[in-house]
Amino acid sequence: MVTQIAASPLAGDRSRAARRLGYVLVGLLGLTCIAGLAVGAAGTSLWSALADLAVGRELALRDKVVLWDIRVPRVLMGMLVGAALAVSGAVLQGLFRNPLADPGIVGVSAGASLGAVIAIVLGGALPLAAAMGAWIVPVFAFLGAWGATMTLYRIATRAGRTSVATMLLAGIALTALTMALTGLIVYVADDAQLRDFTFWNMGSLAGATWGKLAVAVPLILLPLAASGLLARGLNGLALGEAAAGHMGIPVQRLKGAAILIVAAATGAAVSIGGGIGFVGIVVPHLLRLATGPDHRFLLPNAALLGAAMLLLADLVSRTIIAPAELPIGIITAIIGGPFFLFILLRQRGIVDL
Amino acid sequence: MLIARDICADYNRKAVLREVCFGARPGQITSIVGPSGAGKSTLLKVLTGDHAFAGTVRLDGRDIAAFPLRDLARIRAVLPQSTPLAFPFTVIEVVRLGLVNHPGQDHIARRALAQVGLAGFEGRYYQELSGGEQQRAQLARVLCQVWEPVGADGTPHWLFMDEPVSSLDIAHQLQVMALARQFADRGGGVVMVMHDLNLTAMSADSVALLRAGRLIVQACPEDVYRDDILGEAYGCRLEVGKTPVRGAFVLPQMVTVP
């Protein structure tokens, strides 16, 4: 196997390639944004609308609603959710030092779901419900995701070492447990709540509105921005906790921050998009193959690629059986499931299966 | 100066170190030897602040427990026994992680790689290297962290190594010993756990001999390398010889199978 990396000033240094890839991904994201705005079931043309705007003509009300109130928030929401899921995956993998960690697989998303369902069903009866208003679902999803991540970390990591098998098995148990609790709560829900839950649970960006976006933007952008501060620490952590400490990295603080960021980003993404899986494992893995595992580039590039990939998946979800819509979670799972198995089989050695 | 006094440490509630005293000077190589399970690695972990202990460890007069992590990282680097990596880093990417005190100075990373005999390995994937090559790549990373054996203000820097030559062939063992020697000769302090008694005799200025969690003796090699002391510590018959030029060597004696 040829492993020499050419066309770089310092052999083996992929930071330039990673930076260049970032620019390419910005372009790709721009293209998918345009596609997301241009394509839709209503048949409204983005181009004629833009042409109208350019010459100062008033848009037809219908076109204005379709573009401004449906497609724009949906595209923005897709970008946010995709970026949040991909970065959550990358941070979680850095924390567990393990390329198989994905919020959907190890139970973090299930924890977020439980939190969201508690908020949807028990909503009004919860403390501070009135004060939180529209924030109650994402906040509870965050709390659920946080609890799940902490539990998983406690179980799977002993003396700074994570057992891959324990992590995956604990993830299964955690998912099963939280799903059972979710079922228990859904059981006591009334019809309207059940309807809310069902639509949300299928995983879709269809419900994107400006109102939801206003809640989601800070909840997702904050952890995304904060993840950049962890990049150097996560690079050091790749050598192990002890080695990271020897290099002056405050390991306990780093881990606490990483868990918070994963919980916040996953919680927000799940509370908006429902069960959208595998983005967190596919995106970082592809990027590591392309330009290496340096988190200083991996994290921002994951945000860009995750956003673009989710927009593409959403595009498929709303065109493949148009005018009906396929839940986007089904599409990401159909692509991501086999991909996960592929990584698992390639890494059999480290999983010890 | 590195001074450890009355060190007691447990591992899984079993006492591993009992009232161990230990010292190391900058400008010297101090080696920790002893049979397997004697507590060598645990002592090193105590000295680097990675293992809970009772007693005191002072580095340049400062209590190691009160030393801020960042300040410690400035003056000492630690080479673990082995470092598996979960992600596909290239060799140069691993070595550059050691540039914590010299950010962006890639020429140091390249020179460190050359010093450990891995010039030309920059673009190889770390995970595809042999065990010995990985260990040398890690040594290059650690060397980057304490590239100057003495700081600009005159504080000595320290290199802690846990069996740095255990998976190396003899040529590379000698190369690593030469690097340690050079680091010490230029004013830095080197503390390492060693298995090979002959390499230790050749390289160390001071030898600490442990057995069953207790320090038997710490002294210069000539005073530690005696048939009775080594034989009793290791529980076997050993014959210590001397060459006029290089000092002591240990000749193993055949034992009978019980």
Side-chain angles (χ1 to χ4, degrees), chain B residues 103-165:
Chain B
Q105 299 188 39
D106 289 346
H107 63 278
I108 292 180
R110 240 176 309 181
R111 282 178 58 195
L113 260 184
Q115 286 197 348
V116 300
L118 287 179
F121 279 64
E122 287 87 350
R124 296 271 297 273
Y125 282 110
Y126 177 83
Q127 288 161 321
E128 290 172 1
L129 301 184
S130 73
E133 287 165 348
Q134 290 191 349
Q135 206 169 11
R136 286 189 283 141
Q138 292 294 341
L139 178 59
R141 167 180 71 79
V142 166
L143 282 175
C144 283
Q145 191 177 336
V146 284
W147 188 243
E148 301 87 11
V150 179
D153 56 352
T155 24
H157 292 168
W158 294 82
L159 199 50
F160 293 86
M161 304 194 272
D162 195 354
E163 295 193 27
V165 298

Side-chain angles (χ1 to χ4, degrees), chain A:
Chain A
M1 194 169 165
V2 179
T3 53
Q4 209 75 36
I5 285 114
S8 170
L10 180 55
D13 174 14
R14 293 173 282 183
S15 55
R16 280 195 181 189
R19 256 191 219 108
R20 272 202 299 273
L21 181 66
Y23 298 129
V24 174
L25 290 175
V26 169
L28 178 69
L29 182 57
L31 288 179
T32 51
C33 273
I34 294 170
L37 293 174
V39 178
T44 299
S45 165
L46 172 69
W47 313 116
S48 61
L50 283 179
D52 284 353
L53 282 178
V55 298
R57 209 179 316 153
E58 188 73 3
L59 284 185
L61 180 64
R62 178 173 171 278
D63 289 351
K64 200 173 164 187
V65 168
V66 166
L67 283 175
W68 188 246
D69 288 335
I70 297 180
R71 287 190 197 162
V72 172
R74 182 165 184 156
V75 162
L76 291 176
M77 200 74 109
M79 284 168 56
L80 283 176
V81 169
L85 290 173
V87 170
S88 295
V91 173
L92 204 60
Q93 286 145 25
L95 173 71
F96 282 107
R97 306 179 60 211
N98 184 328
L100 289 171
D102 170 84
I105 293 162
V106 297
V108 178
S109 299
S113 298
L114 176 61
V117 167
I118 290 176
I120 291 174
V121 175
L122 306 176
L126 294 169
L128 297 174
M132 282 193 278
W135 294 75
I136 187 165
V137 175
V139 165
F140 269 78
F142 158 68
L143 290 176
W146 196 31
T149 316
M150 299 274 271
T151 311
L152 185 75
Y153 190 83
R154 286 276 159 80
I155 295 172
T157 303
R158 229 180 9 198
R161 300 182 78 95
T162 302
S163 147
V164 183
T166 314
M167 180 194 76
L168 292 176
L169 293 173
I172 293 173
L174 210 58
T175 307
L177 179 66
T178 47
M179 276 171 63
L181 292 174
T182 306
L184 202 65
I185 292 167
V186 168
Y187 198 74
V188 303
D190 63 31
D191 282 359
Q193 290 166 342
L194 211 55
R195 195 168 158 277
D196 278 356
F197 167 76
T198 311
F199 277 113
W200 167 81
N201 192 39
M202 279 195 292
S204 166
L205 300 170
T209 60
W210 284 107
K212 281 192 190 172
L213 207 55
V215 176
V217 164
L219 270 177
I220 290 180
L221 286 189
L222 215 66
L224 285 192
S227 72
L229 303 175
L230 302 187
R232 277 174 192 282
L234 290 175
N235 283 343
L237 200 59
L239 297 166
E241 284 193 22
H246 296 149
M247 297 194 298
I249 295 163
V251 174
Q252 295 308 323
R253 261 212 328 256
L254 172 75
K255 290 191 302 189
I259 289 174
L260 263 181
I261 281 172
V262 168
T266 307
V270 167
S271 75
I272 299 160
I276 301 175
F278 295 104
V279 178
I281 194 157
V282 174
V283 169
H285 197 80
L286 288 177
L287 288 173
R288 275 192 215 102
L289 285 177
T291 56
D294 188 332
H295 290 85
R296 288 174 301 165
F297 310 108
L298 179 65
L299 295 175
N301 284 353
L304 292 169
L305 185 59
M309 276 191 43
L310 205 70
L311 284 185
L312 275 179
D314 187 47
L315 214 58
V316 174
S317 93
R318 58 203 168 102
T319 50
I320 196 164
I321 52 166
E325 256 188 42
L326 203 62
I328 191 172
I330 293 178
I331 292 162
T332 59
I334 284 174
I335 300 167
F339 193 89
F340 175 76
L341 286 176
F342 165 73
I343 304 174
L344 187 69
L345 292 178
R346 268 193 35 168
Q347 311 234 345
R348 254 187 188 185
I350 66 163
V351 190
D352 197 22
L353 289 175

Side-chain angles (χ1 to χ4, degrees), chain B residues 48-132:
Chain B
T48 57
D50 291 316
H51 195 100
F53 64 93
T56 55
V57 177
R58 287 179 165 275
L59 186 59
D60 296 326
R62 284 173 82 180
D63 195 334
I64 196 114
F67 229 118
L69 215 54
R70 192 70 199 85
D71 293 358
L72 263 181
R74 247 188 283 280
I75 62 164
R76 69 108 169 84
V78 184
L79 179 71
Q81 258 188 52
S82 72
T83 313
L85 277 185
F87 301 119
F89 284 100
T90 59
V91 171
I92 193 72
E93 285 169 344
V94 170
V95 176
R96 284 205 319 189
L97 290 177
L99 291 172
V100 279
N101 301 319
H102 311 83
Q105 299 188 39
D106 289 346
H107 63 278
I108 292 180
R110 240 176 309 181
R111 282 178 58 195
L113 260 184
Q115 286 197 348
V116 300
L118 287 179
F121 279 64
E122 287 87 350
R124 296 271 297 273
Y125 282 110
Y126 177 83
Q127 288 161 321
E128 290 172 1
L129 301 184
S130 73

